[in-house]
């Protein structure tokens, strides 16, 4: 059969143990038709075949990010970039410039805020009110679970501090019951965000296309999209029909504590939703928030007496929701940062069971009790982790995460090595917008347990570092295995998907500190070249 694409004379690392290396690959109808040497692909040449000389290409299976927020992240990263603000004065300077840019009456929106600058003052909107001329402002913290609004925004949105929610969310108030501006978790943040004007659908669509090109340019061929709702499927179908979808996506349905169980049952009809580049079949849950804001769920309280409550006020309802979806043949994915949240998810999965061939999964796993490490492999539960979340850590432990967990629990953070050694599936990703989506940054963190390219930085739990081979597997074969697609994805092999990423040098042989400077030269999704340097 004639191939649409043939790459010749390349350096191909297939991750297929039966044929680990190749020089030529042919892709037909989005699938690999031949791989090996020149003689293997010769029968697939035709007048319409695109030939690429791969002499400078070091090819791997397509890079998959196993935890990504493509649509929410695209919207949430509009406005002022606050990631470079390390002090309140630096924050105020950025906000003054943004106020000048948007005008006196518009909302000032910012994203990527860190906690450390508020350690002495507490998180308060009045600290930057003057910088926005006393006007409307709403700033998101980097972890996506906390925000802070200016006093004018609190008043405009009629936030009183007396609000109650059907899930763990909080409007933080001072000793007099007056909102400080800090908002913890989604329902509290919605009190403000519902008043911020939304861009048009056309504008947002353009933003999505713009971001997708950036993902492709960094070698990303697939992602496990954690944004999903029933409305996501027709939207992706529209993108695909227009030829605009250039990343493969798995799209869970996000379940929330206030959903009635009957509504969850109505969603079972979407289990088999799919297109060429997307599919459903996964239900997504939150068991807790994040350690930095005190909304994670730990076995023992943090050093400030917080991080003790589940996101679902009734964990038994969460367990029942898991059972509903598991019995209907869904994979279940649960956000669980704290060790108690992880334990609750494992308990729910053990009680619910899992359909043949599937693996439930747990996202993040920043704290994990010794007793629960072996349960992942025993229950065939996958671990989806993001070691680069430690990029917010300070070597001396002064960052908010480390302060809250304390020195002993800090030593048990992000236990990638322990989980892998236990036999668990370990898939890697970024959790963008929480962390940068450049997979080279994530790979460096997983290998080094410190920032790549900064050998002067101290290591964080270095004994948990992974080998280059294990890290590449986390973005390829393990990313496929955690979603039960290892029979046709994650390797370069005849009959497998024609998704591949090409670098300027071999990923395994490249020093971890040099990864960030390693050029991406080619990205192919379903046999289609979506990026070419």
């Amino acid at each position: 059969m004639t191939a649409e694409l043939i790459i010749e004379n390349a350096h191909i690392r297939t991750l297929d143990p039966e044929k680990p290396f190749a020089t030529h690959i042919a892709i037909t109808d989005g699938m690999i038709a031949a791989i090996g040497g020149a003689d293997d692909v010769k029968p697939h040449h035709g007048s319409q075949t695109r030939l690429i000389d791969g002499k400078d290409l070091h090819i791997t299976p397509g890079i998959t990010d196993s935890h990504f927020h493509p649509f929410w992240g695209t919207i949430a990263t509009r406005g002022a970039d606050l990631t470079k603000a390390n002090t309140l004065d630096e924050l105020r300077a950025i906000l003054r410039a943004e106020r000048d840019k948007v005008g006196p009456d518009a909302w000032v929106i910012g994203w990527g805020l860190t906690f450390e600058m508020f350690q002495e003052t507490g998180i308060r909107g009045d600290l930057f009110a003057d910088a926005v001329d006393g006007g409307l402002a709403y700033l998101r913290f980097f972890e996506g679970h906390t925000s802070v609004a200016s006093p004018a925004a609190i008043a405009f949105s009629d936030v009183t501090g007396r609000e109650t929610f059907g899930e763990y969310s909080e409007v933080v108030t001072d000793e007099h019951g007056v909102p400080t501006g800090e908002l913890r978790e989604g329902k509290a943040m919605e009190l403000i965000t519902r008043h911020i004007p939304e861009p048009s659908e056309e504008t947002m669509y353009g933003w999505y296309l713009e971001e997708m090109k950036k993902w492709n340019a960094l070698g990303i061929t697939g992602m496990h999209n954690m944004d999903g709702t029933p409305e996501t499927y027709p939207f992706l179908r529209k993108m695909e029909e227009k030829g605009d979808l250039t990343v493969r996506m798995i799209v869970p349905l996000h379940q929330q504590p206030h959903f009635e169980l009957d509504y969850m049952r109505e969603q079972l009809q979407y289990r088999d939703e799919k297109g060429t580049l997307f599919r459903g079949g996964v239900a997504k849950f939150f068991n807790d928030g994040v350690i930095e804001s005190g909304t994670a769920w730990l076995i023992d309280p943090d050093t400030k007496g917080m991080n003790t409550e589940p996101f679902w006020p009734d964990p038994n309802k969460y367990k029942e929701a898991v059972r509903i979806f598991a019995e209907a043949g869904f994979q279940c994915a649960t956000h669980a940062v704290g060790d108690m949240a992880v334990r609750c998810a494992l308990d729910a999965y053990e009680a619910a069971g899992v359909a043949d061939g599937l693996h439930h999964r747990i996202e993040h796993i920043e704290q994990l009790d010794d007793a629960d490490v072996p349960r992942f492999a025993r229950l065939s539960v996958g671990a989806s982790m993001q070691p680069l979340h430690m990029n917010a850590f300070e070597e001396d432990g002064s960052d908010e995460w480390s302060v809250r967990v304390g020195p002993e629990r800090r030593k048990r953070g992000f236990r990638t090595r322990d989980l892998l050694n236990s036999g668990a599936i370990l898939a890697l990703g970024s959790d963008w917008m929480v962390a940068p989506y450049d997979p080279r940054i994530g790979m460096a963190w997983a290998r080094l347990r410190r920032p790549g390219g900064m050998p002067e930085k101290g290591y964080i739990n270095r004994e948990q570092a992974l080998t280059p081979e294990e890290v590449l597997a986390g973005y390829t074969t393990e990313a496929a295995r955690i979603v039960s697609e290892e029979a046709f994805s994650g390797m370069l092999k005849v009959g497998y998907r024609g998704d591949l990423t090409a670098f300027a040098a071999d990923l395994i042989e490249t020093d971890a500190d040099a990864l960030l400077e390693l050029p991406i030269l080619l990205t192919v999704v379903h046999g289609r070249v979506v990026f070419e340097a």
Side-chain angles (χ1 to χ4, degrees):
M1 186 179 294
T2 300
E4 287 104 20
L5 176 66
I6 291 179
I7 302 175
E8 306 173 310
N9 307 310
H11 313 269
I12 304 174
R13 188 178 283 274
T14 69
L15 301 190
D16 175 7
E18 297 179 0
K19 186 189 287 187
F21 299 100
T23 57
H24 291 61
I25 185 169
I27 301 175
T28 302
D29 293 332
M31 308 297 285
I32 297 172
I35 185 166
D39 290 343
D40 294 293
V41 302
K42 189 174 182 180
H44 300 277
H45 280 265
S47 59
Q48 300 302 310
T49 301
R50 178 177 179 186
L51 297 177
I52 293 179
D53 182 357
K55 64 181 178 65
D56 296 322
L57 303 181
H58 293 259
I59 294 173
T60 71
I63 299 299
T64 294
D65 189 311
S66 293
H67 192 110
F68 208 93
H69 296 278
F71 302 125
W72 171 69
T74 295
I75 302 302
T77 53
R78 299 288 150 171
D81 181 351
L82 308 178
T83 58
K84 299 295 190 286
N86 296 310
T87 67
L88 285 171
D89 285 342
E90 290 173 351
L91 172 64
R92 293 177 186 118
I94 294 172
L95 295 180
R96 285 190 191 97
E98 187 68 11
R99 169 56 75 206
D100 291 341
K101 176 181 174 182
V102 301
D105 300 321
W107 282 82
V108 168
I109 306 297
W111 62 277
L113 201 57
T114 59
F115 288 86
E116 286 69 33
M117 70 182 79
F118 296 101
Q119 284 179 334
E120 293 184 4
T121 61
I123 299 170
R124 306 198 323 262
D126 63 342
L127 294 171
F128 56 83
D130 287 348
V132 296
D133 295 336
L136 303 171
Y138 178 74
L139 314 181
R140 296 181 176 91
F141 281 74
F142 77 94
E143 30 72 89
H145 292 255
T146 315
S147 62
V148 59
S150 65
I154 291 290
F156 179 83
S157 304
D158 196 26
V159 176
T160 66
R162 296 186 294 275
E163 294 82 2
T164 58
F165 309 98
E167 60 191 48
Y168 181 56
S169 289
E170 181 182 3
V171 175
V172 179
T173 59
D174 63 17
E175 65 273 19
H176 305 294
V178 177
T180 63
E182 181 183 359
L183 306 160
R184 297 174 181 162
E185 300 299 334
K187 287 300 176 184
M189 293 189 279
E190 285 178 15
L191 298 175
I192 301 291
T193 58
R194 66 190 182 194
H195 295 283
I196 300 174
E198 291 188 354
S200 68
E201 290 186 10
E202 182 180 3
T203 296
M204 287 192 290
Y205 194 92
W207 289 349
Y208 298 149
L209 296 186
E210 178 185 328
E211 288 297 329
M212 208 168 296
K213 291 176 182 176
K214 296 177 184 177
W215 307 331
N216 291 150
L218 288 171
I220 296 173
T221 65
M223 59 183 58
H224 302 167
N225 169 358
M226 296 295 166
D227 284 350
T229 69
E231 291 72 37
T232 306
Y233 303 128
F235 176 76
L236 288 174
R237 191 165 287 111
K238 172 186 172 183
M239 290 194 82
E240 196 163 69
E241 288 170 353
K242 296 176 69 173
D244 290 336
L245 187 60
T246 60
V247 177
R248 199 179 295 277
M249 291 187 185
I250 291 194
V251 188
L253 292 170
H254 182 194
Q255 306 305 309
Q256 300 186 47
H258 66 274
F259 287 177
E260 297 292 336
L261 295 179
D262 284 345
Y263 174 65
M264 295 182 194
R265 294 185 182 97
E266 289 177 16
Q267 295 182 64
L268 301 182
Q269 64 183 300
Y270 300 111
R271 186 193 67 183
D272 299 323
E273 283 282 338
K274 64 180 180 179
T276 300
L277 294 180
F278 71 90
R279 73 162 173 87
V282 186
K284 167 75 186 301
F285 306 87
F286 277 81
N287 250 2
D288 64 351
V290 292
I291 287 168
E292 291 92 334
S293 68
T295 60
W297 190 14
L298 297 172
I299 293 172
D300 297 309
D302 69 15
T303 59
K304 299 182 180 181
M306 298 175 68
N307 280 304
T308 59
E309 297 184 52
F311 184 72
W312 291 59
D314 179 5
N316 288 324
K317 184 180 178 183
Y318 157 73
K319 293 178 180 179
E320 177 63 13
V322 166
R323 186 192 65 78
I324 288 171
F325 283 97
E327 290 184 352
F330 277 72
Q331 179 190 47
C332 294
T334 299
H335 167 119
V337 164
D339 45 16
M340 192 64 214
V342 174
R343 179 172 293 174
C344 179
L346 290 168
D347 290 345
Y349 293 165
E350 187 165 20
V354 64
D356 288 345
L358 295 186
H359 310 277
H360 296 317
R361 55 189 284 178
I362 300 179
E363 314 300 307
H364 310 311
I365 318 171
E366 295 182 10
Q367 283 284 293
L368 177 62
D369 190 72
D370 288 344
D372 293 317
V373 172
R375 297 180 70 193
F376 281 80
R378 179 167 62 81
L379 298 174
S380 193
V381 172
S384 168
M385 297 182 70
Q386 305 79 39
L388 79 164
H389 278 195
M390 294 182 290
N391 62 7
F393 287 14
E394 296 293 339
E395 185 178 351
D396 63 1
S398 62
D399 57 278
E400 188 67 13
W401 191 97
S402 300
V403 167
R404 282 184 178 270
V405 300
E408 289 305 312
R409 282 185 288 193
R410 188 179 197 255
K411 297 175 184 176
R412 301 197 301 271
F414 298 85
R415 300 175 67 172
T416 48
R417 167 58 55 202
D418 292 343
L419 279 164
L420 198 61
N421 286 353
S422 76
I425 300 167
L426 178 63
L428 301 174
S430 66
D431 194 18
W432 184 72
M433 66 163 241
V434 174
Y437 52 65
D438 186 336
R440 298 170 299 180
I441 300 176
M443 290 177 183
W445 262 105
R447 286 170 59 174
L448 292 168
R449 304 290 287 203
R450 62 164 171 77
M454 297 183 179
E456 72 279 5
K457 290 283 189 178
Y459 296 95
I460 300 168
N461 305 347
R462 191 177 186 182
E463 70 280 0
Q464 296 294 329
L466 304 178
T467 68
E469 291 84 358
E470 290 165 343
V471 171
L472 179 56
Y475 283 90
T476 53
T477 54
E478 295 292 277
R481 194 155 75 102
I482 201 171
V483 291
S484 302
E485 293 184 346
E486 66 268 31
F488 52 85
S489 185
M491 290 190 286
L492 298 177
K493 184 176 180 178
V494 172
Y496 277 54
R497 288 170 171 165
D499 300 348
L500 57 87
T501 304
F503 298 85
D506 187 285
L507 269 180
I508 301 301
E509 297 176 357
T510 299
D511 185 83
D513 278 315
L515 282 176
L516 275 62
E517 303 302 322
L518 180 62
I520 291 99
L521 302 181
L522 184 73
T523 308
V524 176
V525 177
H526 201 68
R528 174 185 174 188
V529 175
V530 296
F531 170 75
E532 194 170 8

